[in-house]
Amino acid sequence: MKYYASMMLGARMSILMGDVRRNGRFYSMLSDIVKPGELQQIVVKIQHNVQSGNQVYSNRNYVPIAHEYLMIIRKNDTYWISFQMPKQFTKDIRDCKMATWRDVVAAALRRLGGTAHVSEIYQELKGHAKAEKNRNPEAKIRQTLQINSMFVSKERGVWQIA
């Protein structure tokens, strides 16, 4: 932000950044960086002589990191600094307005180990917004289990994910 503040009006700044993987976790500067000014372009370029190219991952589910990003921004105003800041949200799916009953029941079943008695599913959803907003949440849960092919009745009252 200090570099950006010192720029002349109409000037452009380029920021070179990359991704890293440490202790099995992935970190991306591009998704985490505060982006001041007007984003004009992002250039993805090949990165040569990287450690990731020599790394052998035991489970082979990672694509080696062999690129970096060049973010180009422009200063459009002398006083005002427009910027984008990444913000992460965490929300319980049982309280999310956008979640469908299918999503919520599937999440409850997964939390219960993939197979559960319908009474356990009722208990798992009890007290949460999705159930509280429905006049008869137990009937809605049963209906959801019965009409969605992703749920299979194992025995009377016991359901599992297909």
Side-chain angles (χ1 to χ4, degrees):
M1 292 301 278
K2 289 217 179 260
Y3 287 122
Y4 181 81
S6 68
M7 291 167 54
M8 300 293 290
L9 183 63
R12 289 180 179 79
M13 175 171 58
S14 298
I15 302 169
L16 185 64
M17 65 192 93
D19 299 329
V20 294
R21 190 173 285 115
R22 289 202 177 106
N23 300 324
R25 295 204 55 194
F26 175 77
Y27 301 93
S28 177
M29 286 180 63
L30 184 62
S31 65
D32 294 339
I33 195 168
V34 173
K35 299 168 189 75
E38 176 190 343
L39 179 62
Q40 297 232 290
Q41 190 171 2
I42 294 177
V43 178
V44 180
K45 78 175 229 9
I46 281 186
Q47 193 176 17
H48 301 282
N49 300 321
V50 294
Q51 280 187 340
S52 184
N54 300 325
Q55 182 73 29
V56 177
Y57 297 104
S58 59
N59 54 9
R60 297 180 186 256
N61 64 351
Y62 292 122
V63 174
I65 298 172
H67 63 281
E68 51 194 356
Y69 309 100
L70 183 66
M71 181 175 74
I72 303 167
I73 56 175
R74 182 172 191 260
K75 185 169 184 174
N76 289 335
D77 197 285
T78 307
Y79 290 118
W80 295 99
I81 300 174
S82 73
F83 59 93
Q84 297 175 15
M85 272 180 34
K87 188 172 183 181
Q88 184 172 339
F89 298 91
T90 303
K91 187 160 180 109
D92 189 322
I93 192 170
R94 298 169 293 183
D95 296 323
C96 185
K97 291 179 184 178
M98 300 299 290
T100 65
W101 273 100
R102 179 181 174 269
D103 296 335
V104 173
V105 171
L109 259 173
R110 285 187 192 101
R111 178 69 171 232
L112 294 165
T115 302
H117 192 275
V118 71
S119 62
E120 293 175 285
I121 300 169
Y122 297 158
Q123 197 59 38
E124 196 67 23
L125 301 180
K126 186 177 182 178
H128 288 278
K130 198 73 173 171
E132 295 294 316
K133 290 183 180 176
N134 194 293
R135 285 187 297 134
N136 191 347
E138 290 86 3
K140 187 63 181 178
I141 291 166
R142 287 190 306 273
Q143 177 194 37
T144 303
L145 289 165
Q146 292 167 2
I147 66 171
N148 286 284
S149 61
M150 79 173 291
F151 307 118
V152 178
S153 176
K154 195 171 178 184
E155 59 186 72
R156 186 168 174 81
V158 178
W159 291 84
Q160 68 182 23
I161 297 176

